[in-house]
């Protein structure tokens, strides 16, 4: 992921949004951060041609209207959108949620730490990894 | 169901047998029987599917088929009515197979009289009804239990989100506005932080407790010496504590991670409440008639007898504390695990001298239910 590519945070909890913002600020991540409050809004964002495709999606599972798993179900069957790496960021430690997420090809599954310091470290690790990893750019899709 | 009037279906390829059976049932004293007769497998299955009868009498020999074939087919079709197999003298293996497949009874042809046949039929019907009633009760109980466990799980899960928020906000206030908050304010923020950590531990406790009921683990052969050694290793006990395994522990049938949790909680508790310069914890076991009894004895602070019940209740601790580690979940977890294995737990204690915890785990606590069921049926 290049530093100009954005990160899309899909999260309904105001405080968790704040936590991610603070963490990315603290580690001085250069990527612009966008956030939406549920899966529906995320799809609107991703399908809006005015928005460039994010380099990384951070996804909460438990959200109103369209939850994280429902969102994954659609995105991972969309030939344009499925190449975007999605890292789940949730409080759910349920085996079932992990199973479903990974069978929908998520790139990672992180439990939101309670502790602020650990939250920052988690975000740092995610960001470092995806800054290191190459991701496809441009508008081509894989069939 | 009314058993004064009973519709019976006989599946038998021999008309003479039908006539004999009909005559026997006509003489019945308690109930009025109406006997229908079909003579082969196909007609038998077809008629059973109509569910017009309360009991089925199956001849074992039915041309190329047997009565057991019908029984098997009927069970697959979801037939809930009882079957009685009519066999020849000395067909012991067939009798056994029939019972295993769910037949209510078997009667030896030529040795049947009216009272025997009537009693067999009525018993079979009554037993089926009792079984159905019990199954329904079990189902209700199971679903109520499931609901309760799910409730505990969902509630505690949902409680965590706002809690995390509170904790984060306290952190951020402390970080961003530290120079604008005086010492007293900072102390309050610290208290918010502590309380939310404690609440988080309590919620984790509920989750852990409810998970025990939600997820059943396969029973395996577990060497307790190994388990206890692992627990001691993980507990990283201080040099002034000595844990001794007095006599070799057995290998028992149990749920491994649960038994691990059991020893972990009992031993960490014992360690936690030792107030002497030299701590001593002794683990021993004794083989009783049909169970193993274990004892974990410590020389800690001891527990007053009036608190013996209380310590096993969820969230009950005897020390008022903001300590996140002492949530009062441990011993209730232990009790639940012991009871899940069909055992019991109790203690003796002397204040200032120490506490002895005892628990018993039955051996082969869960006999193969099929064997018991067959045995019971055979006795009737």
């Amino acid at each position: 992921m290049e530093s100009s590519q954005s990160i899309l945070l899909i999260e309904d909890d105001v405080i968790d949004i704040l936590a991610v913002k603070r963490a990315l600020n603290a580690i001085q991540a250069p990527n612009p951060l966008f956030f939406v409050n549920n899966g529906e809004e995320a799809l609107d964002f991703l399908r809006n041609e005015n928005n460039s495709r994010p380099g990384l999606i951070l996804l909460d599972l438990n959200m109103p209207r369209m939850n994280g798993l429902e969102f994954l179900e659609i995105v991972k069957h969309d030939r344009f959108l499925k190449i975007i790496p999605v890292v789940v960021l949730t409080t759910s430690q349920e085996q079932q949620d992990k199973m479903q997420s990974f069978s929908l090809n998520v790139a990672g599954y992180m439990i939101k730490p309670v502790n602020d310091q650990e939250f920052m470290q988690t975000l740092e690790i995610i960001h470092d990894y995806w800054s290191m990893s190459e991701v496809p750019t441009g508008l081509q899709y894989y069939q | 169901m009314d058993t004064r009037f009973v519709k019976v279906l006989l599946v038998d390829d021999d008309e003479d047998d039908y006539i004999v059976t009909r005559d026997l049932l006509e003489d019945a004293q308690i109930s009025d029987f109406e006997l229908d007769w079909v003579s082969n497998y196909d007609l038998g299955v077809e008629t059973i599917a109509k569910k017009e009868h309360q009991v089925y009498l199956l001849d074992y020999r039915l041309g190329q088929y047997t009565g057991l074939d019908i029984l098997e087919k009927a069970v697959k079709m979801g037939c809930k009515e009882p079957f009685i197999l009519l066999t020849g003298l000395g067909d012991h293996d067939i009798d056994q197979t029939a019972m295993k497949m769910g037949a209510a009874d078997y009667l030896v042809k030529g040795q049947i009289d009216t009272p025997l046949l009537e009693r067999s039929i009525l018993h079979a019907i009554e037993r089926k009804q009792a079984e159905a009633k019990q199954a329904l009760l079990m189902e209700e109980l199971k679903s109520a239990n499931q609901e309760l466990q799910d409730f505990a799980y969902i509630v505690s899960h949902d409680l965590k989100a706002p809690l995390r928020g509170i904790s984060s906000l306290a952190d951020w206030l402390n970080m961003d506005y530290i120079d604008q908050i005086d010492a007293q304010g900072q102390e309050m923020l610290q208290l918010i932080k502590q309380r939310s950590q404690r609440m988080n531990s309590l919620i984790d406790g509920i989750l852990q407790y409810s998970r025990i009921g939600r997820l059943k683990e396969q029973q395996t052969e577990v060497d307790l010496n190994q388990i206890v050694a692992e627990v001691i290793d993980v507990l990283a006990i201080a040099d002034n504590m000595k844990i001794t395994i007095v006599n070799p522990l057995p290998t028992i049938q149990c749920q491994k991670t649960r038994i691990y949790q059991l020893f972990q909680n009992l031993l960490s508790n014992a360690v936690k409440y030792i107030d002497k310069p030299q701590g001593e914890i002794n683990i021993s076991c004794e083989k009783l008639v049909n169970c193993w009894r274990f004892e974990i004895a410590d020389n800690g602070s001891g527990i007053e007898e009036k608190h013996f019940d209380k310590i096993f209740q969820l969230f009950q601790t005897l020390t008022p504390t903001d300590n996140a580690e002492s949530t009062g979940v441990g011993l209730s977890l232990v009790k639940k695990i012991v009871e899940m294995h069909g055992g019991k737990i109790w203690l003796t204690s002397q204040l200032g001298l120490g506490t002895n915890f005892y628990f018993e785990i039955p051996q082969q606590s869960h006999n193969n239910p099929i064997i018991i069921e067959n045995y019971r049926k055979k006795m009737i």
Side-chain angles (χ1 to χ4, degrees):
Chain A
M1 173 172 72
E2 287 165 20
S3 59
S4 61
Q5 284 184 288
S6 65
I7 295 172
L8 177 65
L9 170 65
I10 311 175
E11 169 66 74
D12 63 318
D13 186 320
V14 188
I15 298 179
D16 280 338
I17 294 172
L18 209 53
V20 172
K21 271 189 190 168
R22 287 178 68 98
L24 290 178
N25 261 336
I27 60 172
Q28 299 180 333
N31 310 67
L33 176 72
F34 294 97
F35 63 85
V36 289
N37 293 128
N38 59 56
E40 272 180 14
E41 287 180 22
L43 287 177
D44 288 346
F45 179 93
L46 292 168
R47 287 175 174 159
N48 183 338
E49 286 171 12
N50 297 325
N51 298 324
S52 62
R53 188 172 59 203
L56 177 67
I57 292 174
L58 299 174
L59 176 69
D60 183 26
L61 289 186
N62 198 2
M63 290 178 297
R65 299 178 72 88
M66 183 191 285
N67 69 32
L69 292 172
E70 289 163 344
F71 168 79
L72 278 173
E73 189 69 49
I74 294 170
V75 156
K76 289 303 177 189
H77 291 101
D78 183 309
R79 57 187 180 166
F80 286 101
L81 300 179
K82 70 178 175 188
I83 58 167
I84 309 173
V86 178
V87 173
V88 172
L89 194 59
T90 178
T91 49
S92 169
Q93 308 210 19
E94 285 286 275
Q95 200 56 31
Q96 182 75 11
D97 284 338
K98 296 177 201 171
M99 284 289 290
Q100 277 183 273
S101 298
F102 278 99
S103 63
L104 287 166
N105 296 84
V106 295
Y109 191 105
M110 306 288 175
I111 306 290
K112 289 174 187 166
V114 180
N115 180 303
D116 194 55
Q117 195 64 28
E118 287 169 28
F119 199 101
M120 204 189 76
Q121 281 162 4
T122 304
L123 260 293
E124 187 167 22
I125 290 165
I126 298 172
H127 183 261
D128 281 357
Y129 178 88
W130 286 105
S131 300
M132 189 77 85
S133 172
E134 301 283 336
V135 296
T137 48
L139 269 177
Q140 65 280 56
Y141 58 83
Y142 184 77
Q143 243 169 337
Chain B
M1 203 190 291
D2 191 1
T3 49
R4 276 168 305 176
F5 179 76
V6 180
K7 281 194 77 170
V8 183
L9 179 71
L10 172 69
V11 187
D12 196 319
D13 57 358
D14 186 345
E15 184 167 11
D16 288 347
D17 282 343
Y18 163 60
I19 292 165
V20 171
T21 311
R22 189 193 60 197
D23 291 349
L24 285 172
L25 288 177
E26 264 169 20
D27 292 341
Q29 299 291 315
I30 306 166
S31 304
D32 248 343
F33 291 100
E34 186 186 312
L35 183 67
D36 290 331
W37 170 53
V38 291
S39 63
N40 63 46
Y41 173 88
D42 289 329
L43 280 173
V45 170
E46 198 180 299
T47 315
I48 290 169
K50 291 182 189 156
K51 301 186 175 184
E52 288 168 349
H53 300 86
Q54 283 148 273
V55 63
Y56 302 102
L57 305 178
L58 306 178
D59 184 16
Y60 178 68
R61 287 171 211 291
L62 289 169
Q64 63 183 104
Y65 292 102
T66 71
L68 296 183
D69 294 326
I70 293 200
L71 180 57
E72 194 182 2
K73 177 79 181 166
V75 169
K76 261 190 204 149
M77 295 189 313
C79 177
K80 297 272 186 288
E81 278 66 44
F83 292 86
I84 297 168
L85 198 72
L86 308 174
T87 58
L89 186 58
D91 289 340
H92 186 68
D93 289 346
I94 296 168
D95 299 340
Q96 290 308 304
T97 315
M99 298 309 270
K100 227 174 254 172
M101 288 171 64
D105 202 355
Y106 58 88
L107 299 171
V108 178
K109 277 186 173 183
Q111 295 184 350
I112 307 171
D113 58 16
T114 296
L116 177 65
L117 183 57
E118 181 170 27
R119 198 169 61 227
S120 176
I121 289 176
L122 294 182
H123 273 179
I125 292 174
E126 274 166 25
R127 206 156 56 235
K128 270 286 173 191
Q129 288 170 353
E131 276 171 20
K133 213 168 165 183
Q134 204 176 15
L136 193 70
L137 276 173
M138 281 301 286
E139 202 47 52
E140 283 173 10
L141 206 62
K142 235 168 89 184
S143 94
N145 213 4
Q146 189 61 46
E147 254 170 51
L148 199 64
Q149 277 160 0
D150 288 350
F151 178 76
Y153 193 84
I154 292 165
V155 164
S156 38
H157 204 260
D158 285 355
L159 286 177
K160 273 195 140 185
L163 186 64
R164 283 164 22 84
I166 293 170
S167 176
S168 299
L169 289 170
D171 267 346
W172 298 337
L173 276 174
N174 215 347
M175 269 189 260
D176 298 358
Y177 300 94
I178 185 92
D179 42 357
Q180 294 171 49
I181 303 172
D182 65 7
Q184 205 181 355
Q186 285 177 30
E187 197 188 325
M188 286 176 185
L189 281 177
Q190 198 53 38
L191 282 172
I192 293 179
K193 191 78 192 142
Q194 273 173 19
R195 287 295 156 104
S196 29
Q197 256 159 21
R198 176 157 177 79
M199 184 152 168
N200 194 55
S201 307
L202 290 174
I203 292 172
D204 280 341
I206 303 182
L207 285 173
Q208 220 185 352
Y209 189 79
S210 71
R211 203 173 285 144
I212 284 190
R214 274 159 56 92
L215 309 171
K216 286 268 178 328
E217 195 188 335
Q218 195 69 32
Q219 298 236 351
T220 51
E221 294 272 321
V222 179
D223 180 358
L224 295 181
N225 296 295
Q226 209 180 325
I227 292 287
V228 170
E230 269 177 52
V231 169
I232 293 174
D233 195 40
V234 170
L235 283 179
I237 289 146
D239 287 342
N240 63 335
M241 299 278 171
K242 200 170 127 215
I243 300 186
T244 314
I245 300 178
V246 178
N247 54 344
L249 302 175
T251 295
I252 61 167
Q253 276 276 332
C254 61
Q255 301 180 32
K256 191 175 174 189
T257 36
R258 300 297 171 232
I259 288 294
Y260 181 93
Q261 280 180 306
L262 188 159
F263 278 102
Q264 186 198 21
N265 277 294
L266 282 177
L267 288 176
S268 67
N269 247 11
V271 169
K272 200 188 303 175
Y273 294 107
I274 281 178
D275 51 357
K276 316 284 188 300
Q278 289 297 319
E280 272 183 35
I281 297 164
N282 289 318
I283 306 169
S284 58
C285 64
E286 186 185 348
K287 173 114 179 62
L288 303 181
V289 181
N290 45 20
C291 70
W292 280 98
R293 176 181 295 173
F294 300 89
E295 179 183 351
I296 295 180
D298 66 58
N299 66 340
S301 52
I303 301 162
E304 279 181 85
E305 194 173 341
K306 65 176 178 190
H307 293 137
F308 281 6
D309 285 336
K310 202 173 223 178
I311 57 170
F312 289 112
Q313 290 165 21
L314 199 55
F315 295 147
Q316 292 289 338
T317 58
L318 298 179
T319 43
T321 173
D322 256 346
N323 176 2
E325 277 157 34
S326 180
T327 54
V329 172
L331 280 178
S332 45
L333 216 63
V334 164
K335 184 165 188 265
K336 196 166 172 183
I337 292 169
V338 171
E339 285 172 356
M340 218 167 62
H341 283 86
K344 55 178 179 176
I345 181 163
W346 70 99
L347 68 150
T348 60
S349 184
Q350 271 185 294
L351 216 53
L353 293 180
T355 305
N356 295 23
F357 276 96
Y358 301 88
F359 62 95
E360 289 177 357
I361 303 281
Q363 286 226 285
Q364 268 141 29
S365 50
H366 303 290
N367 267 318
N368 188 341
I370 293 169
I371 295 170
I372 296 173
E373 184 69 7
N374 280 340
Y375 183 67
R376 190 181 63 80
K377 278 183 181 164
K378 215 174 134 188
M379 297 298 287
I380 291 167

